[in-house]
């Protein structure tokens, strides 16, 4: 079961405790709520110093989701788990939109000017904002969790796939992936690339076989661009036929497979581009950092017969993975939402101003994005509501709850339970 973070009177992290123990401390007023997400309590009275168990923070970075798990190496217990949803692709789309709007304005108001490419420089370690945001998100949560839990080591997945093994399947000698892990890298890559379904019939949730698009018997290679996933039935039926002959009656599927075979994985490219920058960021914490590959993660998960989720993948990262105890663990789902925008106005699809944006961020002590509890005792909307608010200068707020949007709630009924920090939370 996911445990509760505990701080002593000087805000130093102690061993996480069972939720029932935390409720008892709060009920007896021996502790108070320090933070709502992740839920953390702080003791009101000092206790004799005792040994604190060291935990390992394990990270499975991804392009869209990053899994995070806190593991006790000595017992194998997963103390807590998180799944962090990034907004890198949203940032990319926003920058593309901004670039198009600016270009159209320039074209409307100025004569054509030849592009100049040497008028700005970037540092060697520069990353695109959509990629940098992923590193910043992970860095933020590493720093937060270090304040709430006694973390003494970090384990992170450095590479999703071993490109050397995939480029040369006949690799020999004492190379990195020689032995029991050989084949896991290629299979994991293909599962991601082909959406975990048979390329020929589209079936899911069956055992898959690695299949050559252009058969080896007719000169096909072992290159990753010539491999796909196939169910046993389709693989047997295709045999050594050329794919054009096999799918001559289904030209649309043939075209789709040939196009997908040449297409690189955008998600993999994003992860591989940021891997060393993330490693540098993690090492800057001063904690020992262990790294592993995606193939090793899948091997560890398969050996323990665990289901595939982002947080379980994180718990299985690295060679230090013990026999895991994940009973009752429920991850906290975190969504990177950003801190708003600096736009003075919103624009329509043609780039013309459509509505004004208030420059005042705070109204009556609240700002858009705060999580509040509203207790309404009169009127048509009597009840208790918890959710994220959108503020107005009039003091009439909107609250987004799990049951939908509630409009027109006065600020007098609202009490902040978690101030805006750029992230959204759900269980």
């Amino acid at each position: 079961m996911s445990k509760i973070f505990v701080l002593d009177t000087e805000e130093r992290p102690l061993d996480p405790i069972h939720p029932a123990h935390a409720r008892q401390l709060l009920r007896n007023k021996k502790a108070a709520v320090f933070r709502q997400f992740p839920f953390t309590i702080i003791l009101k009275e000092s206790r004799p110093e005792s040994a604190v168990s060291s935990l390992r923070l394990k990270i499975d970075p991804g392009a869209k989701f990053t899994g995070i798990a806190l593991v006790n190496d000595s017992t194998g217990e997963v103390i807590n788990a998180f799944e962090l949803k990034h907004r890198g692709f949203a940032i990319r789309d926003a920058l593309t939109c901004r670039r198009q709007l600016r270009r159209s304005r320039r074209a409307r108001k100025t004569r054509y000017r030849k592009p100049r490419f040497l008028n700005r420089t970037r540092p060697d370690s520069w990353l695109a904002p959509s990629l940098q945001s992923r590193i910043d998100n992970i860095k933020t949560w590493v720093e937060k969790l270090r304040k709430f839990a006694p973390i003494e080591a970090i384990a992170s997945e450095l590479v999703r796939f071993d490109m050397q093994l995939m480029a040369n399947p006949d690799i020999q000698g004492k190379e990195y992936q020689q032995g029991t892990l050989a084949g896991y890298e290629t299979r994991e890559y293909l599962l991601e690339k082909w959406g975990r379904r048979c390329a020929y019939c589209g079936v899911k949730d069956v055992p898959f076989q690695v299949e050559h698009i252009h058969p080896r018997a007719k000169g096909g290679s072992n290159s990753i661009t010539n491999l796909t996933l196939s169910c046993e039935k389709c693989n047997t039926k295709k045999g050594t036929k050329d794919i054009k002959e096999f799918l001559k009656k289904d030209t649309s599927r043939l075209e789709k497979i040939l196009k997908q075979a040449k297409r690189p994985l955008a998600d993999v490219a994003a992860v591989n581009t940021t891997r060393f920058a993330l490693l540098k960021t993690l090492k800057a914490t001063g904690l020992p950092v262990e790294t592993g590959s995606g193939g090793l993660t899948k091997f560890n998960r398969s050996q323990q017969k665990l289901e595939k989720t982002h947080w379980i993948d994180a718990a299985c990262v690295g060679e230090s993975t013990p026999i895991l105890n994940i009973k009752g663990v429920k991850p906290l789902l975190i969504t990177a939402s950003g801190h708003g925008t600096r736009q003075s106005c919103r624009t329509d699809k043609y780039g013309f101003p459509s509505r004004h944006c208030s420059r005042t961020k705070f109204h009556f002590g609240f700002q858009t994005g705060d999580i509040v509890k509203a207790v309404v005792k009169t009127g048509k909307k009597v009840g208790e509501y918890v959710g994220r608010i959108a503020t107005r200068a009039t003091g009439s707020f909107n609250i987004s709850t799990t049951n939908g949007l509630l409009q027109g709630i006065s600020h007098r009924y609202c009490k902040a339970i978690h101030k805006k920090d750029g992230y959204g939370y759900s269980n």
Side-chain angles (χ1 to χ4, degrees):
M1 179 171 288
S2 299
K3 294 195 172 181
I4 305 300
F5 297 127
V6 184
L7 304 179
D8 65 11
T9 54
E10 297 182 5
E11 298 186 10
R12 292 176 300 193
L14 302 175
D15 283 334
I17 60 176
H18 193 279
H21 188 187
R23 285 194 296 269
Q24 186 179 32
L25 290 173
L26 292 171
R27 190 165 49 245
N28 296 336
K29 297 184 179 182
K30 293 183 178 180
V33 176
F34 182 80
R35 186 180 178 88
Q36 197 73 26
F37 301 102
F39 192 76
T40 308
I41 65 173
I42 184 169
L43 299 179
K44 292 184 176 181
E45 299 177 358
S46 58
R47 292 185 174 184
E49 291 189 8
S50 59
V52 177
S53 301
S54 60
L55 304 177
R56 185 183 295 270
L57 179 64
K58 310 191 81 172
I59 303 170
D60 175 33
K64 296 177 182 177
F65 291 89
T66 288
I68 302 174
L70 278 171
V71 180
N72 188 325
D73 285 343
S74 60
T75 64
E77 182 181 11
V78 177
I79 303 299
N80 222 322
F82 310 88
E83 290 188 356
L84 172 60
K85 183 179 180 181
H86 297 290
R87 58 189 297 265
F89 292 115
I91 291 174
R92 179 198 62 188
D93 295 340
L95 290 175
T96 300
C97 179
R98 186 181 72 178
R99 182 173 64 250
Q100 291 170 342
L101 291 175
R102 287 178 172 177
R103 183 174 295 168
S104 67
R105 283 201 299 268
R106 284 196 296 268
R108 287 197 302 268
K109 296 184 178 180
T110 62
R111 63 181 175 80
Y112 174 75
R113 186 180 71 189
K114 187 177 181 180
R116 294 178 290 181
F117 296 103
L118 300 178
N119 59 347
R120 54 176 68 93
T121 58
R122 292 168 175 165
D124 294 336
S125 59
W126 181 87
L127 287 172
S130 58
L131 300 178
Q132 186 63 45
S133 72
R134 296 182 175 96
I135 296 176
D136 292 340
N137 288 339
I138 296 174
K139 178 183 177 182
T140 295
W141 277 94
V142 168
E143 292 174 350
K144 284 188 180 192
L145 293 175
R146 288 189 67 190
K147 294 178 182 178
F148 305 142
I151 297 171
E152 299 295 337
I154 298 175
S156 176
E157 194 173 278
L158 179 62
V159 288
R160 189 67 183 276
F161 313 106
D162 192 327
M163 295 298 185
Q164 183 182 10
L165 177 66
M166 293 190 295
N168 180 16
D170 300 321
I171 193 168
Q172 299 293 327
K174 297 179 180 179
E175 299 293 344
Y176 171 63
Q177 287 297 329
Q178 189 70 21
T180 55
L181 287 178
Y184 272 85
E185 305 290 351
T186 301
R187 289 185 63 85
E188 186 69 8
Y189 182 89
L190 292 174
L191 286 168
E192 289 286 336
K193 184 172 184 177
W194 295 95
R196 301 178 184 274
R197 63 174 67 234
C198 175
Y200 302 121
C201 68
V203 68
K204 297 184 71 175
D205 301 323
V206 299
F208 291 116
Q209 299 175 353
V210 177
E211 208 273 325
H212 291 80
I213 297 174
H214 300 289
R216 292 273 288 166
K218 296 184 178 180
S221 69
N222 278 330
S223 169
I224 196 68
T225 57
N226 190 42
L227 299 179
T228 186
L229 292 176
S230 172
C231 64
E232 184 179 4
K233 182 179 178 181
C234 290
N235 199 6
T236 303
K237 186 176 179 181
K238 180 174 181 288
T240 59
K241 292 180 183 178
D242 186 81
I243 188 172
K244 294 180 180 179
E245 178 186 354
F246 180 61
L247 295 176
K248 61 183 178 182
K249 295 182 179 180
D250 192 351
T251 55
S252 60
R253 186 176 291 273
L254 171 63
E255 184 180 350
K256 182 179 179 181
I257 291 175
L258 294 177
K259 185 181 293 185
Q260 179 67 12
K262 296 179 181 179
R263 183 179 299 162
L265 270 177
D267 291 359
V268 176
V271 173
N272 284 346
T273 302
T274 57
R275 54 182 175 168
F276 291 114
L278 176 59
L279 179 62
K280 182 179 179 181
T281 300
L282 295 178
K283 286 185 175 180
T285 61
L287 298 177
V289 179
E290 176 194 17
T291 59
S293 73
L296 177 58
T297 300
K298 182 175 181 180
F299 178 76
N300 290 337
R301 176 166 49 81
S302 300
Q303 289 291 97
Q304 300 192 36
K305 298 180 180 179
L306 301 174
E307 64 176 331
K308 179 174 176 57
T309 63
H310 298 292
W311 69 271
I312 288 180
D313 274 351
C316 294
V317 167
E319 293 184 359
S320 64
T321 303
I323 301 300
L324 297 173
N325 175 12
I326 63 170
K327 184 178 180 181
V329 176
K330 189 176 181 182
L332 175 66
L333 308 181
I334 307 166
T335 302
S337 56
H339 292 274
T341 175
R342 295 193 299 270
Q343 287 181 328
S344 298
C345 65
R346 298 285 188 264
T347 62
D348 59 20
K349 64 179 180 179
Y350 301 107
F352 292 98
S354 62
R355 60 191 184 278
H356 174 71
C357 289
S358 173
R359 303 306 299 159
T360 304
K361 299 298 183 182
F362 288 86
H363 298 292
F364 301 95
F366 299 94
Q367 67 171 324
T368 298
D370 288 350
I371 299 175
V372 304
K373 180 178 181 180
V375 181
V376 183
K377 298 182 178 179
T378 59
K380 297 180 180 179
K381 301 169 185 175
V382 173
E384 292 188 5
Y385 309 97
V386 176
R388 189 174 298 275
I389 60 167
T391 62
R392 294 194 189 100
T394 60
S396 178
F397 298 163
N398 292 348
I399 302 180
S400 297
T401 68
T402 55
N403 297 323
L405 180 64
L406 191 70
Q407 297 182 329
I409 300 299
S410 172
H411 69 91
R412 294 190 301 271
Y413 300 132
C414 297
K415 179 182 179 181
I417 60 175
H418 189 88
K419 288 293 187 178
K420 173 186 173 183
D421 58 359
Y423 297 92
Y425 304 91
S426 62
N427 291 318

